[in-house]
């Protein structure tokens, strides 16, 4: 790729970024758009609908300062520890690439530019130069300047490892601090018990009560048996959907005859339908509560956190397949549908997920190959001779090679996070947070494999797959193929990184949906939804740009300023979204950080492996041998961090649990908490019928005889 093509891509995306900034600063002030850009502040009552018609149409950047101002403590209170971990990931990346950027731009880039392995740089017309002239490929074999890159690799590795250690320790201590400062929560006192053995003449509830009453008599408190409610839940969902449709209808003017004649009355029709649904729901609740509809699993609660932890980690039976225990999620985080699945259904679902992931990986190679074909103009002219005249135009060729490939890949990646979330939801996880973590892990490795490795191998080495598939040749071929794709990934950072982050700020899809809905039906100002943060969508994106930066910092230092600008934009935009848009749906207590840590370790090892292959190709034997211990030291460092900090993320220490239990003895609110704990894990489908309005208003329906004129 020529420098002119990169400049074209930078120009197009810079214009898009400026346009989106201006549009956002204006549209966020319009009262009808508050539900899209400020739903959380509306729900909290911290933002009012202003009617100033002049100021609403003047672009302003005050929102940037407001996003920068909140402290980490305020972010923790509003978005939980998961929000803090996400922002710490971005600030960690900013520190890394500020350090690497200084070395790369002011040391490595000049060294690469003054090499003469390829062709002499055209100083008269910089835009006519190839981007390869700014990479390590421009240094000759056995060039002594390669020792500068050798030193930079060691420096950046040491810096990243030090930061990872301090961040892991900080998040671990923050997790303990967050546990100390939080109020008593049901999940701290509860465990999930599976594979409850059957007893003749006894229900599952009686079996659980008798077993824990005998074996945990001093700490056992209560239990809730899980029932098969999948069919009942579908009826409840239909009733809620119907109620929502009724709420959106315009109210009918009150008349005396309205309360007596309902046969030809639309409201009377809806009332009779709801009455029938309520009757079906009551019958369904009675049916699923009967013996035989129980799942051999239960949420068991204890009087103390220490008692729950003891039961969690202690084998409960001589037969290790019975009374299996695992931590209980938050009550509102429970994913109820999969409890109704049988063992065979769960087993088949796991196999199906594996095959689906493999199929998606294979199918995604199509856009990857298409993208790499667009970066090769001679191949395009050979395959499509009738396009030769169009491709010979300078502007067209720059757009096709510099902007279009990244745009196609970016668009194709949009379907990956929701697909992985769906696959994780049928995999057998019992809570939404586990589904998010599983989907996040899938998206991370899918992106690394399909965007990084597939792009590298289908690009410069596409015609040498037979050689690449030989494991002995992979390290050396990586050293050849990865630098050759530097120009593509620089354009990818500009297109996907900059523009995609701005579209997150602009919330393009929710904005368009809101506009279309307003066009067809009137909306209630109090009717809106506060969305949760999609960690499985945004965390892999940030981590992948971190991988690109670490991998290419010594190969093509020109990528570093673009990545640094991406993380600056991400820092501002995501802080704004946490304040104004997203509300936490669950809180894992910072459990996303180990995933972030391991991905950064993988990025370091990948960079070091490529460096070893590169120095071997450049005939730098001594440098190659001196680099071999580096990935070993990195993996040993990772093992040390895993042993040192992961136990805190797996379980809370005994001294922490007992200290909180002692504090609870003097807490006057604990009796009320224990009263609520009894029913905290009851299936929502078995609760009295309730219809909740969106936003900050709640309406309940305990009888179908509702006066719809008040809706």
């Amino acid at each position: 790729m020529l420098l002119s093509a990169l400049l074209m891509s930078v120009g197009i995306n810079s214009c898009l970024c400026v346009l989106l900034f201006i549009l956002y600063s204006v549209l966020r002030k319009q009262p009808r758009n508050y539900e899209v850009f400020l739903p959380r502040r509306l729900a909290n009552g911290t933002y009012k609908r202003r009617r100033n018609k002049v100021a609403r149409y003047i672009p302003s950047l005050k929102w940037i300062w407001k996003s920068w101002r909140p402290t980490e403590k305020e972010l923790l209170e509003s978005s939980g520890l998961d929000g803090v971990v996400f922002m710490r990931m971005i600030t960690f990346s900013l520190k890394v690439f500020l350090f690497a950027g200084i070395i790369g731009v002011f040391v490595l880039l000049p060294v690469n530019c003054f090499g003469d392995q390829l062709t002499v740089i055209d100083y008269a017309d910089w835009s006519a130069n190839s981007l390869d002239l700014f990479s390590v490929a421009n240094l000759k074999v056995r060039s002594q300047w390669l020792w500068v890159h050798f030193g930079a690799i060691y420096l950046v590795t040491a810096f990243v490892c030090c930061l990872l250690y301090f961040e892991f320790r900080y998040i671990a201590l923050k997790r303990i601090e967050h546990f100390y400062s939080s109020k008593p929560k049901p999940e701290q006192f509860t465990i999930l018990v599976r594979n409850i053995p059957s007893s003749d003449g006894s229900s599952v509830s009686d079996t659980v009560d008798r077993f824990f009453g005998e074996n945990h008599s001093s700490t056992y408190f209560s239990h809730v048996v899980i029932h098969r409610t999948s069919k009942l839940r579908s009826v409840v969902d239909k009733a809620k959907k119907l109620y929502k449709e009724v709420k959106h209808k315009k109210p009918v003017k009150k008349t005396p005859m309205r309360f007596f004649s309902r046969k030809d009355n639309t409201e009377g029709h809806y009332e009779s339908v709801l009455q029938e649904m309520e009757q079906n729901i009551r019958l369904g609740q009675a049916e699923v509560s009967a013996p035989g509809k129980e799942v051999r699993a239960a949420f068991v609660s204890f009087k103390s956190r220490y008692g729950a932890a003891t039961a969690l980690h202690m084998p409960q039976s001589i037969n290790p397949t019975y009374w299996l225990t695992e931590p209980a999620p938050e009550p509102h985080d429970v994913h109820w549908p999969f409890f109704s699945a049988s063992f065979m259904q769960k087993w088949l679902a796991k196999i199906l997920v594996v095959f689906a992931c493999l199929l998606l990986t294979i199918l995604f190679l199509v856009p990857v190959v298409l993208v790499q074909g667009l970066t090769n103009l001679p191949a395009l002219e050979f395959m499509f001779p009738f396009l030769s005249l169009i491709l010979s135009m300078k502007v067209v060729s720059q757009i096709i090679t510099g902007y279009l490939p990244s745009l196609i890949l970016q668009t194709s990646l949009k379907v990956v996070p929701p697909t992985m979330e769906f696959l994780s939801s049928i995999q057998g996880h019992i809570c939404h947070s586990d589904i998010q973590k599983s989907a996040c892990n899938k998206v991370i490795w899918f992106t690394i494999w399909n965007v990084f490795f597939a792009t590298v191998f289908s690009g410069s080495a596409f015609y040498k797959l037979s050689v690449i598939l030989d494991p002995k040749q992979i390290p050396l071929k990586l050293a050849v193929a990865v630098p050759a794709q530097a120009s593509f990934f620089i354009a990818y950072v500009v297109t996907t990184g900059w523009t995609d982050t701005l579209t997150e700020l602009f919330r393009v899809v929710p904005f368009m949906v809101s506009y279309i809905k307003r066009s067809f039906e009137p909306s209630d100002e109090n009717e809106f939804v506060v969305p949760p943060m999609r960690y499985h969508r945004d965390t892999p994106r940030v981590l992948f740009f971190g991988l690109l930066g670490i991998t290419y910092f010594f190969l093509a230092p020109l990528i570093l300023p673009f990545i640094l600008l991406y993380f600056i934009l991400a820092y501002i935009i995501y802080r704004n979204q946490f304040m104004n848009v997203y509300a936490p749906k669950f809180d894992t207590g910072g459990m996303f950080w180990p995933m972030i840590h391991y991905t950064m370790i993988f990025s370091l090892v990948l960079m070091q492996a490529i460096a070893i292959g590169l120095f071997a190709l450049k005939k730098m034997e001594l440098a190659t041998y001196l680099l071999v211990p580096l990935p070993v030291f990195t993996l040993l460092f990772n093992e040390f961090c895993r042993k040192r900090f992961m136990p805190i993320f797996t379980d809370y220490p005994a001294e922490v649990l007992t200290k909180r239990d002692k504090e609870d003895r003097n807490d006057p609110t604990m009796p009320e908490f224990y009263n609520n704990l009894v029913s905290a894990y009851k299936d929502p489908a078995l609760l009295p019928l309730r219809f909740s309005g969106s936003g900050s208003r709640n309406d309940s329906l305990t009888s179908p005889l509702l006066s719809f004129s008040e809706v």
Side-chain angles (χ1 to χ4, degrees):
M1 181 188 292
L2 297 179
L3 183 60
S4 58
L6 175 62
L7 294 176
M8 174 66 74
S9 179
V10 171
I12 293 174
N13 287 282
S14 298
C15 292
L16 286 175
C17 289
V18 172
L19 177 62
L20 289 174
F21 259 108
I22 294 174
L23 284 175
Y24 174 77
S25 65
V26 174
L27 291 174
R28 74 188 298 270
K29 299 178 183 179
Q30 312 307 312
R32 61 176 6 186
N33 295 330
Y34 288 174
E35 293 85 353
V36 177
F37 300 116
L38 303 166
R40 180 168 189 183
R41 295 183 66 181
L42 282 180
N44 294 339
T46 58
Y47 203 84
K48 297 181 179 180
R49 299 178 184 270
R50 296 177 294 182
R51 304 296 180 181
N52 190 330
K53 295 184 179 180
V54 178
R56 285 194 286 130
Y57 297 98
I58 300 177
S60 173
L61 298 180
K62 289 183 180 179
W63 65 270
I64 296 179
W65 166 247
K66 291 180 180 178
S67 301
W68 204 287
R69 189 172 53 188
T71 62
E72 186 176 277
K73 183 179 179 180
E74 294 172 334
L75 181 63
L76 178 63
E77 293 173 353
S78 62
S79 300
L81 192 54
D82 290 334
V84 171
V85 165
F86 186 87
M87 292 309 303
R88 295 289 297 192
M89 173 181 63
I90 295 178
T91 54
F92 167 84
S93 302
L94 280 171
K95 295 173 185 176
V96 169
F97 293 112
L98 183 60
F99 179 79
I102 293 173
I103 296 176
V105 174
F106 296 104
V107 179
L108 300 182
L109 190 60
V111 169
N112 294 340
C113 287
F114 290 106
D116 54 1
Q117 173 66 23
L118 300 176
T119 57
V120 180
I121 294 179
D122 185 1
Y123 294 98
D125 185 9
W126 278 87
S127 63
N129 291 301
S130 171
L131 291 180
D132 293 338
L133 298 176
F134 303 93
S135 69
V136 72
N138 198 33
L139 295 179
K140 288 184 176 180
V141 174
R142 299 184 187 276
S143 172
Q144 295 303 306
W145 288 110
L146 287 168
W147 285 104
V148 178
H149 296 73
F150 174 88
I153 292 169
Y154 261 93
L155 276 176
V156 170
T157 298
F159 184 79
V160 173
C161 287
C162 287
L163 277 184
L164 282 174
Y165 172 80
F166 289 118
E167 288 293 329
F168 216 150
R169 185 180 68 174
Y170 179 84
I171 298 299
L173 295 176
K174 204 73 176 178
R175 177 176 164 85
I176 299 296
E177 180 186 337
H178 182 59
F179 181 79
Y180 275 135
S181 61
S182 63
K183 296 180 180 179
K185 298 180 179 179
E187 65 272 15
Q188 298 172 357
F189 295 79
T190 307
I191 64 173
L192 174 63
V193 181
R194 293 178 181 268
N195 285 25
I196 300 172
S198 58
S199 300
D200 294 336
S202 298
S203 64
V204 175
S205 179
D206 293 337
T207 303
V208 172
D209 191 66
R210 183 173 59 253
F211 179 86
F212 283 94
E214 293 176 356
N215 298 288
H216 300 270
S217 57
S218 61
T219 57
Y220 170 64
F221 180 68
S222 66
H223 71 276
V224 175
V225 176
I226 301 169
H227 296 79
R228 304 184 189 278
T229 58
S230 55
K231 295 181 179 179
L232 176 62
R233 190 176 294 106
S234 63
V235 178
V236 174
D237 291 340
K238 290 179 181 178
K240 290 180 179 180
K241 184 178 179 181
L242 177 62
Y243 179 67
K244 187 176 180 180
E245 291 177 358
V246 173
K247 287 183 65 178
H248 281 86
K249 291 185 177 295
K250 294 182 178 180
V252 179
K253 184 178 179 180
K254 286 187 177 182
T255 61
M257 294 299 295
R258 181 174 181 269
F259 296 97
F260 298 98
S261 178
R262 295 187 178 181
K263 291 184 179 180
D264 299 325
N265 193 312
T266 305
E267 298 171 2
H269 169 70
Y270 282 118
E271 184 176 316
S272 62
V273 172
L274 280 173
Q275 185 177 11
E276 182 181 353
M277 282 188 169
E278 185 189 29
Q279 184 178 2
N280 292 336
I281 290 171
R282 287 177 177 174
L283 292 174
Q285 289 175 342
E287 182 181 351
V288 299
S289 300
K293 293 294 184 179
E294 300 168 323
V295 179
R296 296 210 164 269
F299 288 104
V300 181
S301 300
F302 296 82
K303 299 175 183 177
S304 66
R305 299 174 182 84
Y306 186 81
T310 303
L312 175 65
H313 298 289
M314 182 183 296
Q316 301 297 321
S317 173
I318 299 175
N319 188 338
T321 62
Y322 289 153
W323 301 101
L324 303 180
T325 58
E326 57 185 277
E330 297 173 280
H332 61 271
D333 188 27
V334 178
H335 182 59
W336 295 101
F338 219 82
F339 280 111
S340 302
S342 64
F343 173 80
M344 183 61 67
Q345 288 174 327
K346 296 176 183 178
W347 185 72
L348 292 175
K350 291 181 179 179
I351 297 177
L352 177 63
V353 168
V354 173
F355 279 102
C357 290
L358 291 175
L359 180 61
L360 185 62
T361 301
I362 295 172
L363 292 176
F364 200 80
L365 292 176
V366 175
V368 171
V369 173
L370 175 61
V371 162
Q372 291 306 317
L374 291 175
T375 60
N376 191 342
L377 282 181
L380 276 178
E381 292 178 354
F382 177 78
M383 295 179 63
F384 306 102
F386 57 89
L387 295 177
S388 299
L389 182 61
I390 299 177
L391 295 175
S392 62
M393 300 173 63
K394 187 175 181 179
V395 176
V396 174
S397 64
Q398 289 174 352
I399 292 176
I400 290 177
T401 59
Y403 180 73
L404 196 57
S406 299
L407 181 63
I408 294 175
L409 196 59
Q410 173 189 359
T411 306
S412 303
L413 281 171
K414 293 290 186 184
V415 302
V416 175
T419 303
M420 293 302 183
E421 184 180 27
F422 169 74
L423 293 177
S424 297
S425 68
I426 64 174
Q427 200 170 355
H429 298 291
I430 63 167
C431 57
H432 298 285
S433 56
D434 284 348
I435 292 173
Q436 287 266 306
K437 287 187 291 184
S438 176
C440 183
N441 195 46
K442 289 182 177 66
V443 176
I444 288 173
W445 296 113
F446 181 91
T447 307
I448 291 174
W449 173 253
N450 284 278
V451 179
F452 185 81
F453 287 108
T455 298
V456 165
F457 289 141
S458 65
S460 61
F462 182 70
Y463 299 105
K464 303 177 183 179
L465 283 176
S466 59
V467 179
I468 292 176
L469 292 177
D470 183 4
K472 297 180 180 179
Q473 297 294 323
I474 287 179
L476 292 177
K477 291 302 177 181
L478 272 176
V480 175
V482 174
Q485 293 299 312
S487 56
F488 169 78
F489 282 118
I490 292 175
Y492 180 82
V493 170
V494 175
T495 303
T496 304
W498 295 4
T499 312
D500 217 26
T501 307
L502 264 297
T503 56
E504 161 64 28
L505 174 71
F506 196 74
R507 303 195 70 209
V508 176
V509 175
F511 175 75
M512 294 176 63
V513 171
S514 175
Y515 180 80
I516 293 173
K517 289 178 68 176
R518 288 198 306 264
S519 301
F520 287 97
E521 61 182 16
S523 61
D524 187 355
E525 289 188 351
N526 295 322
E527 194 80 22
F528 58 90
V529 177
V530 182
M533 176 67 177
R534 301 292 184 181
Y535 291 105
H536 70 288
R537 178 195 64 187
D538 298 294
T539 303
R541 183 190 306 163
V542 175
L543 290 175
F544 182 70
F545 287 117
L547 180 142
L548 289 180
I550 290 176
T551 304
Y552 278 99
F553 95 92
F554 77 100
L555 296 173
L558 194 61
I559 199 174
L560 294 174
F562 301 107
I563 285 186
L564 187 61
L565 183 56
Y566 162 76
F567 282 111
I568 293 173
L569 287 173
Y571 180 81
I572 297 171
I573 290 171
Y574 281 110
R575 283 181 71 91
N576 176 79
Q577 301 301 83
F578 276 119
M579 286 174 50
N580 299 322
V581 179
Y582 299 128
K585 184 178 180 180
F586 52 80
D587 190 6
T588 66
M591 289 299 295
F592 283 94
W593 182 258
M595 198 181 304
I596 296 168
H597 175 90
Y598 296 143
T599 306
M600 297 306 297
I601 291 292
F602 174 81
S603 303
L604 282 177
V605 173
L606 177 63
M607 179 266 290
Q608 295 156 2
I610 294 171
I612 292 172
L614 176 70
F615 280 94
L617 288 175
K618 294 291 185 179
K619 307 298 183 183
M620 300 286 290
E621 290 84 1
L622 180 59
T624 303
Y625 293 140
L626 291 177
L627 279 175
V628 170
L630 196 56
V632 178
F633 292 150
T634 304
L635 293 175
L636 288 175
F637 163 77
N638 176 63
E639 184 65 14
F640 166 75
C641 289
R642 190 180 69 83
K643 295 285 188 180
R644 172 65 179 83
F645 300 117
M646 271 308 295
I648 299 178
F649 286 82
T650 305
D651 302 293
Y652 289 105
E655 61 177 336
V656 174
L657 298 176
T658 53
K659 183 179 179 180
R660 283 305 312 272
D661 288 338
K662 291 178 182 178
E663 293 174 354
D664 289 344
R665 295 173 187 172
N666 301 321
D667 188 350
T669 63
M670 288 306 294
E672 181 183 358
F673 170 78
Y674 284 125
N675 290 335
N676 296 329
L677 181 60
V678 174
S679 59
Y681 285 93
K682 192 170 183 180
D683 193 328
L686 298 177
L687 296 175
L689 188 62
R690 290 183 180 273
F691 294 93
S692 299
S694 302
S696 59
R697 187 181 65 181
N698 291 325
D699 299 314
S700 63
L701 176 65
T702 57
S703 172
L705 301 177
L706 175 70
S707 177
F708 285 95
S709 60
E710 298 176 1
V711 177

